[in-house]
């Protein structure tokens, strides 16, 4: 019996149509490059199930929703004007950002009633909405939403607890064999952190919680000091210094608790 090997292609520098063709069909799952390494991308419940199986992953973490525009985040998630401002600043400055936010009720109603909801958000009905995660995958997510009204969900393409070091060779045999397509762009990933080594580079993006412990949106601060609950940096990562500077410009109070959610 001949072993089937997953197709592996180098990123074409634009929109990878081969990836779109896979993800717009039921259950598609690809590996794609971002600013910090490789991710698994899926778009529905069957794809999400495949992702969990490929990673042997726990299901208690919020799902990651890739957004190709600030407008998409606004369409899907509840935000205060201050959070909208934060997303816009990071979009304008091309900084990778992910925030834990509650879904809008009308957006949840658009989710297929096929089990997707249970896999793409946690029990509090929150997800991590990510922007500016890297051109190769951004192009795919933008087309998936804009042309096909399909979500793009993500998870790091490495065995849970192990980084892929920004190299397609680091995703592991299990994920490599499970995917329908692998887009390789080690050169693009390396270009984002040119001054970092394999040991000092960030393998993830910053994650900021904008909800309380029950998943309710934090209140607007309007320049008042000490408003609680406040934003919490729950995972450090690429450009954490730039992100905390922007947070200091917008919010009078915020907390740093790396690893808090997990």
């Amino acid at each position: 019996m001949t072993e089937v090997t997953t197709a592996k292609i180098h990123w074409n520098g634009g929109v990878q149509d081969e990836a779109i063709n896979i993800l717009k069909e039921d259950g598609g799952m690809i590996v794609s490059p971002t600013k910090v390494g490789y991710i698994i991308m899926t778009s529905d419940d069957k794809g999400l199930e495949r992702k969990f199986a490929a990673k042997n992953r726990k299901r208690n973490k919020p799902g990651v929703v890739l957004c190709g525009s600030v407008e998409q985040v606004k369409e899907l998630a509840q935000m205060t004007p201050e959070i909208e401002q934060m997303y816009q600043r990071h979009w304008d400055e091309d900084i990778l950002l992910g925030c834990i936010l509650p879904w809008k009720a009308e957006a949840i109603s658009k989710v297929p009633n096929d089990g997707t909801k249970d896999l793409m958000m946690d029990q509090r009905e929150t997800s991590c909405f990510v922007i500016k995660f890297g051109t190769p995958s951004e192009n795919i997510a933008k087309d998936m939403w804009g042309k096909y009204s399909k979500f793009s969900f993500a998870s790091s393409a490495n065995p849970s607890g192990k980084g892929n070091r920004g190299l397609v060779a680091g995703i592991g045999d299990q994920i490599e064999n499970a995917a329908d397509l692998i887009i390789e762009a080690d050169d693009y990933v390396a270009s984002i952190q040119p001054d970092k080594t394999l040991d000092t580079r960030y393998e993830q993006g910053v994650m900021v919680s904008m909800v309380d412990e029950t998943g309710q949106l934090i209140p607007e601060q309007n320049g008042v000091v000490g408003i609680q609950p406040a934003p919490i940096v729950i995972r450090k990562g690429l450009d954490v210094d730039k992100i905390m500077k922007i947070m200091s410009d917008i919010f009078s109070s915020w907390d740093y608790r790396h690893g808090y959610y997990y």
Side-chain angles (χ1 to χ4, degrees), residues 21-29 43-47 50 114 150 180:
N21 290 336
I22 289 168
L23 291 174
K24 71 182 184 182
E25 301 299 328
D26 285 351
M29 185 177 97
S43 64
D44 56 25
D45 66 319
K46 294 186 184 72
R50 290 179 64 192
D114 58 7
K150 293 202 75 166
D180 299 319

Side-chain angles (χ1 to χ4, degrees), residues 23 34 163 223 229 234 246:
L23 291 174
T34 71
I234 58 172
I246 292 173

